[in-house]
Amino acid sequence: MSDSPMKSHVFSVLDEPYCVWEHPEDNNNLEFLNGIDPAYFSFIAERMRSAEASVDDDRRAATALRSAYHHALETFFSLAGALVQAPTCVYGWLEQCETKSLRTLVEQISENRFNSLSVVQGAPVTWETISAVVHSRMDVSEAERARVVSGFADLWGRSARLFLRRENIDEYNSVKHGFRVQAGGFQLSMDVADNEQVEARTTKFDLGGSKYGSSYLRIERVGGTAKSNRSFTPRRHYLNWSAEQTSLLLFLLSASIGNVVAFLKLLNGGGDQINSTCPTDDEFQAPWDHTVGVFRMDLARQIPDWAVSVTTKQDLHAHLATLGLKRHSGE
């Protein structure tokens, strides 16, 4: 490929190799990076909170805030993955990296078992080593650099756990695919009787809750767990979260994205100095000071396996045929 008059970028998404060709005078990667606005997410965090909003508008704003948070997580981890595997062709790596592959990459980095091709040399690929690379050109003392590296590495590790959590994935999919969610959290408490008598005095235990959160429906197999079984039943899932925590995390993710983009620009000829954002220790810690107690719950009518029929693809095609449904050629 070195004999070609065109410029090529060869990279992997996990272990899948790709090659992007471009004119030798072009720097599409830098142009792409210059188009990223990391401050977008901090802008959303600032604009979506208002003490003067009505109850309904407050919930709508909280949902928009939560959606932006999920979006920021996906954006940051995508850029981090591109930094690790294709820093000279970020736009190409992002185009070829599917969501499933991105989650695999984040999980492997978090568990210190990433062994795909990487530009990070001399150390295992962890959030600590990635943060050390991103903040290696900061014009600060070594002590300050170590503090910032550690702070962001901890943030990214915690954020990775949230990014990979099943209920957060389902919530994000429900929000972005037609807003199939109901806004608002829930409170959970339990009354415990002092003894077994009918009129016994009870003590109420508050298990926590939040006015902010979401609920959404998922369908789950019923009648058997085999993949060939196409019978499902709905289950409603409830999530609680802190709008304040979400807002604070958005600011930190905005800074994270900005620092990664600044370093990538430097690698691609976009400058000779990095002006990284350096949150204080209190700012790194602030989001985790906001808790909601119980954060998830799911409810569904219990349907025993014997009450439904196990169905297969062939069964359902046959049933649809009895309804008179026909295929259309589109002509």
Side-chain angles (χ1 to χ4, degrees), residues 66 70 162 165-175 181-187 209-216 236-242 292-299:
R66 188 69 171 178
H70 286 304
L162 297 175
R165 202 160 67 182
R166 180 73 257 174
E167 53 267 25
N168 285 356
I169 295 172
D170 292 336
E171 180 189 40
Y172 186 32
N173 287 336
S174 296
V175 169
V181 298
Q182 294 181 22
F186 64 92
Q187 300 287 141
S210 173
K211 72 173 182 176
Y212 299 110
S214 59
S215 66
Y216 54 88
R236 181 163 289 282
H237 295 258
Y238 300 84
L239 292 183
N240 275 335
W241 35 262
S242 163
V292 294
V294 59
F295 74 90
R296 67 175 296 273
M297 179 175 64
D298 58 83
L299 295 174

Side-chain angles (χ1 to χ4, degrees), residues 275-293:
N275 296 315
S276 297
T277 301
C278 304
T280 65
D281 289 343
D282 287 344
E283 288 171 333
F284 276 126
Q285 176 57 36
W288 316 111
D289 293 335
H290 298 271
T291 61
V292 294

Side-chain angles (χ1 to χ4, degrees), residues 230-255:
R230 297 206 171 189
S231 289
F232 293 82
T233 188
R235 179 179 293 273
R236 181 163 289 282
H237 295 258
Y238 300 84
L239 292 183
N240 275 335
W241 35 262
S242 163
E244 187 63 31
Q245 181 188 65
T246 301
S247 179
L248 291 169
L249 285 172
L250 260 181
F251 282 110
L252 290 176
L253 286 170
S254 179

Side-chain angles (χ1 to χ4, degrees), residues 143-203:
E144 174 67 0
R145 188 194 318 280
R147 184 192 68 79
V148 172
V149 167
S150 177
F152 275 110
D154 179 69
L155 169 69
W156 300 345
R158 292 190 186 201
S159 297
R161 290 193 289 274
L162 297 175
F163 180 67
L164 296 171
R165 202 160 67 182
R166 180 73 257 174
E167 53 267 25
N168 285 356
I169 295 172
D170 292 336
E171 180 189 40
Y172 186 32
N173 287 336
S174 296
V175 169
K176 69 181 180 181
H177 295 308
F179 284 87
R180 296 193 298 265
V181 298
Q182 294 181 22
F186 64 92
Q187 300 287 141
L188 192 62
S189 62
M190 178 173 60
D191 288 337
V192 178
D194 291 350
N195 55 58
E196 297 181 357
Q197 301 300 317
V198 175
E199 300 296 331
R201 187 179 63 180
T202 61
T203 302

Side-chain angles (χ1 to χ4, degrees), residues 82-126:
L83 169 64
V84 167
Q85 291 204 289
T88 63
C89 194
V90 175
Y91 66 93
W93 193 92
L94 297 180
E95 180 74 18
Q96 294 301 321
C97 183
E98 298 180 352
T99 303
K100 182 179 180 180
S101 296
L102 178 61
R103 295 194 189 280
T104 297
L105 177 141
V106 171
E107 182 178 40
Q108 289 180 355
I109 293 176
S110 296
E111 296 177 357
N112 195 18
R113 56 184 181 87
F114 181 84
N115 58 8
S116 299
L117 294 176
S118 165
V119 300
V120 180
Q121 302 295 319
V125 178
T126 65

